[in-house]
């Protein structure tokens, strides 16, 4: 962090100064950054992956606003970014009022900070697997550096969250720790059943939690937890993403010349259902205006086009999926969508590297299963 006066002048002169200045306090808090993070970790009860994602949000904020982190703004940025990450990743999280008390600021101020940070991030909270892994490695290197040894050692904690693809065929044993009353556990059960994955279901008594649950999810001690070989994955949204890595999208992006047409056919069938049952003859999924469903499937325009180019096969075409193709073109042309799309050339390079990584991991998984 830089000198407060010099940093304040730079932040003030920045074109994004309104987004940056709102995080500045009149004086630096008494807690150091280390103490403040320790307090958030102790009382927020959010998954460890949230802290990695919060770090990514901070990096994006600095890159997009040109802000300089100082002792006057870093604490407010930390509590806001961790709260956003928890809301995005975790099945359960506290409300803004609780996080405000943890962060030592008022509820109304945190509400304002949340909106400003979302605006600066262009409401783009998704973090890709390669990005998450890269930041994890960076943080691990930092913590192992002799200069940055923590003043108080903690037992090692697994970063439950994003993962590299290893097919379910690579391991013999899949277990699900759940509870009959948990809707989050049922999400995972449905996904496993629909994917045809053989697994052992273990019913947990939440008033008398098993040692297996306590060891598998030592931070939250909650269900559901998916055990896949030596991996323990918690949070239903993350588990569903883990399970779905073997979906039609995954098959398509790793397809070769032999499997390409079959993968295209399978993916076309999936998208045809989306076109016929959800989009129908509407302008957008939400009707005449963009809605939540349009945003959820907003990766089909631009991102999926890059995937098609890398694989060398077109799926969403006027003659195969005419309504979905027309929707994709309309969606991209909406000014507020179009101006925030990443540069296509850079996206293409990323997808090429991502595809190669997936192919490599799939080959390793196949070798392990032999």
């Amino acid at each position: 962090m830089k000198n407060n006066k010099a940093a304040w002048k730079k932040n003030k002169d920045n074109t994004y100064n309104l987004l940056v200045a709102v995080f500045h306090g009149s004086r630096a808090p008494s807690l150091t950054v280390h103490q403040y993070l320790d307090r958030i970790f102790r009382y927020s009860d959010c998954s460890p992956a949230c802290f990695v994602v919060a770090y990514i949000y901070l990096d994006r904020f600095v890159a997009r606003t040109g802000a300089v982190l100082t002792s006057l703004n870093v604490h407010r940025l930390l509590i806001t970014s961790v709260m956003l990450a928890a809301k995005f990743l975790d099945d359960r999280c506290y409300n803004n009022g609780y996080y405000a008390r943890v962060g030592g600021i008022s509820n109304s101020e945190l509400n304002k900070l949340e909106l400003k940070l979302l605006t600066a991030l262009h409401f783009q909270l998704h973090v890709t697997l390669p990005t998450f892994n890269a930041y994890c490695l960076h943080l691990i290197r930092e913590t192992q550096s002799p200069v940055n040894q923590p003043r108080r050692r903690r037992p090692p904690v697994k970063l439950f969250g994003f993962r590299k693809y290893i097919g379910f065929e690579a391991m013999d044993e899949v277990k699900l720790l759940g509870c009959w009353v948990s809707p989050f556990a049922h999400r995972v059960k449905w996904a496993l059943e629909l994917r045809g994955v053989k697994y052992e279901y273990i019913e947990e008594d939440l008033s008398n939690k098993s040692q297996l649950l306590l060891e598998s999810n030592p931070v939250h001690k909650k269900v559901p937890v998916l055990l896949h070989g030596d991996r323990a994955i918690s949070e239903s949204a993350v588990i569903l993403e883990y399970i779905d890595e073997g979906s039609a999208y995954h098959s398509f992006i790793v397809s070769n010349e032999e499997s390409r047409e079959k993968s295209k056919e399978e993916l076309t069938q999936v998208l045809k259902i989306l076109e016929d049952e959800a989009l129908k003859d509407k302008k957008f999924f939400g009707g005449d205006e963009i809605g939540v469903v349009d945003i959820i499937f907003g990766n089909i325009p631009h991102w999926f086009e890059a995937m098609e180019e890398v694989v060398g096969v077109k799926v969403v075409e006027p003659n195969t999926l005419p309504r979905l193709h027309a929707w994709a073109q309309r969606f991209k042309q909406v000014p507020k969508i179009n101006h925030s799309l990443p540069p296509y050339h850079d996206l293409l390079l990323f997808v090429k590297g991502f595809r190669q990584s997936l192919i490599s991991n799939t080959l390793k998984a196949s070798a392990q299963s032999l």
Side-chain angles (χ1 to χ4, degrees):
M1 291 190 296
K2 297 190 178 181
N3 174 272
N4 286 335
K5 285 186 177 179
W8 170 252
K9 185 179 187 304
K10 180 175 179 180
N11 286 336
K12 187 178 178 183
D13 294 339
N14 193 279
T15 55
Y16 285 88
N17 63 81
L18 292 178
L19 292 176
V20 177
V22 71
F23 290 94
H24 276 269
S26 56
R27 55 189 174 82
S30 57
L31 294 178
T32 65
V33 171
H34 181 274
Q35 291 169 332
Y36 196 66
L37 279 172
D38 194 55
R39 175 182 171 83
I40 296 173
F41 180 78
R42 185 182 296 118
Y43 295 111
S44 67
D45 198 32
C46 62
S47 59
C50 290
F51 289 87
V52 181
V53 173
Y55 178 38
I56 295 171
Y57 291 166
L58 282 178
D59 226 15
R60 289 178 180 175
F61 176 82
V62 171
R64 290 176 179 177
T65 64
V68 178
L69 298 183
T70 75
S71 60
L72 296 177
N73 62 20
V74 68
H75 295 76
R76 285 174 172 79
L77 281 166
L78 282 171
I79 189 65
T80 311
S81 58
V82 171
M83 183 182 73
L84 277 184
K87 287 183 178 182
F88 189 74
L89 287 180
D90 291 352
D91 288 334
R92 306 171 185 85
C93 66
Y94 292 110
N95 59 24
N96 287 27
Y98 181 85
Y99 272 98
R101 290 194 294 275
V102 172
I105 56 179
S106 69
N107 191 2
S108 59
E109 182 178 10
L110 185 57
N111 291 342
K112 182 168 66 174
L113 297 179
E114 180 183 27
L115 181 58
K116 293 297 183 183
L117 183 56
L118 282 168
T119 303
L121 297 177
H122 299 165
F123 290 82
Q124 294 175 356
L125 301 183
H126 179 66
V127 174
T128 64
L129 170 61
T131 300
F132 184 85
N133 287 336
Y135 275 82
C136 280
L137 290 173
H138 171 72
L139 290 171
I140 289 169
R141 285 194 294 268
E142 286 294 310
T143 56
Q144 290 175 345
S145 170
V147 179
N148 294 308
Q149 287 297 329
R151 281 171 280 182
R152 183 174 62 171
R153 291 181 177 268
R154 289 182 177 273
V157 179
K158 284 186 179 179
L159 287 174
F160 301 124
F162 298 84
R163 70 286 165 262
K164 289 189 176 179
Y165 171 73
I166 294 185
F168 282 99
E169 300 76 19
M171 298 287 186
D172 294 328
E173 197 171 48
V174 177
K175 295 180 180 180
L176 173 62
L177 309 184
C179 177
W180 69 273
V181 77
S182 168
F184 306 109
H186 280 281
R187 282 181 185 173
V188 180
K189 288 177 72 173
W190 294 332
L192 289 169
E193 294 288 346
L194 291 169
R195 286 275 286 108
V197 177
K198 294 181 180 180
Y199 68 98
E200 177 187 352
Y201 176 73
I202 301 173
E203 178 71 21
E204 284 288 338
D205 179 358
L206 299 184
S207 63
N208 183 26
K209 296 172 183 176
S210 70
Q211 189 61 34
L212 181 60
L213 175 60
L214 298 177
E215 290 175 356
S216 303
N217 192 357
V219 178
H220 293 301
K221 307 176 179 64
K222 296 174 182 176
V223 295
V225 177
L226 184 73
L227 303 177
H228 181 200
D230 60 350
R231 287 171 168 74
I233 307 101
S234 61
E235 299 298 334
S236 67
V238 178
I239 297 172
L240 291 178
E241 187 183 356
Y242 183 89
I243 294 170
D244 202 45
E245 273 295 291
S247 66
Y249 284 100
H250 180 270
S251 300
F252 177 72
I253 195 170
V254 300
S255 62
N256 53 30
E257 290 184 8
E258 296 177 359
S259 61
R260 198 165 291 158
E261 284 305 315
K262 182 183 177 183
S263 298
K264 175 186 175 180
E265 189 177 316
E266 290 175 351
L267 186 53
T268 302
Q269 289 176 359
V270 172
L271 294 175
K272 185 66 176 171
I273 295 171
L274 181 67
E275 182 183 70
D276 291 343
E277 302 299 326
L279 182 59
K280 299 182 179 178
D281 293 318
K282 294 178 289 186
K283 184 177 179 182
F284 295 105
F285 286 97
D288 291 332
E289 302 291 336
I290 287 179
V292 174
V293 180
D294 296 276
I295 293 171
I296 290 172
F297 290 108
N299 66 314
I300 293 177
H302 207 61
W303 280 266
F304 189 68
E305 287 173 12
M307 191 189 300
E308 289 176 315
E309 184 171 340
V310 169
V311 175
V313 175
K314 292 291 290 183
V315 177
V316 182
E317 293 185 286
N319 60 329
T320 55
L321 297 162
R323 287 169 290 174
L324 196 62
H325 180 271
W327 165 82
Q329 302 311 308
R330 282 194 296 269
F331 184 82
K332 282 198 305 181
Q333 296 309 313
V334 174
K336 290 183 180 178
I337 300 294
N338 186 268
H339 89 275
S340 64
L341 291 174
Y344 187 76
H345 176 72
D346 295 342
L347 183 62
L348 204 60
L349 292 176
F350 169 81
V351 172
K352 286 179 181 177
F354 180 60
R355 178 174 186 257
Q356 194 55 49
S357 175
L358 285 178
I359 292 172
S360 176
N361 288 329
T362 304
L363 291 174
K364 288 178 184 177
S366 300
Q368 288 176 14
S369 63
L370 295 176

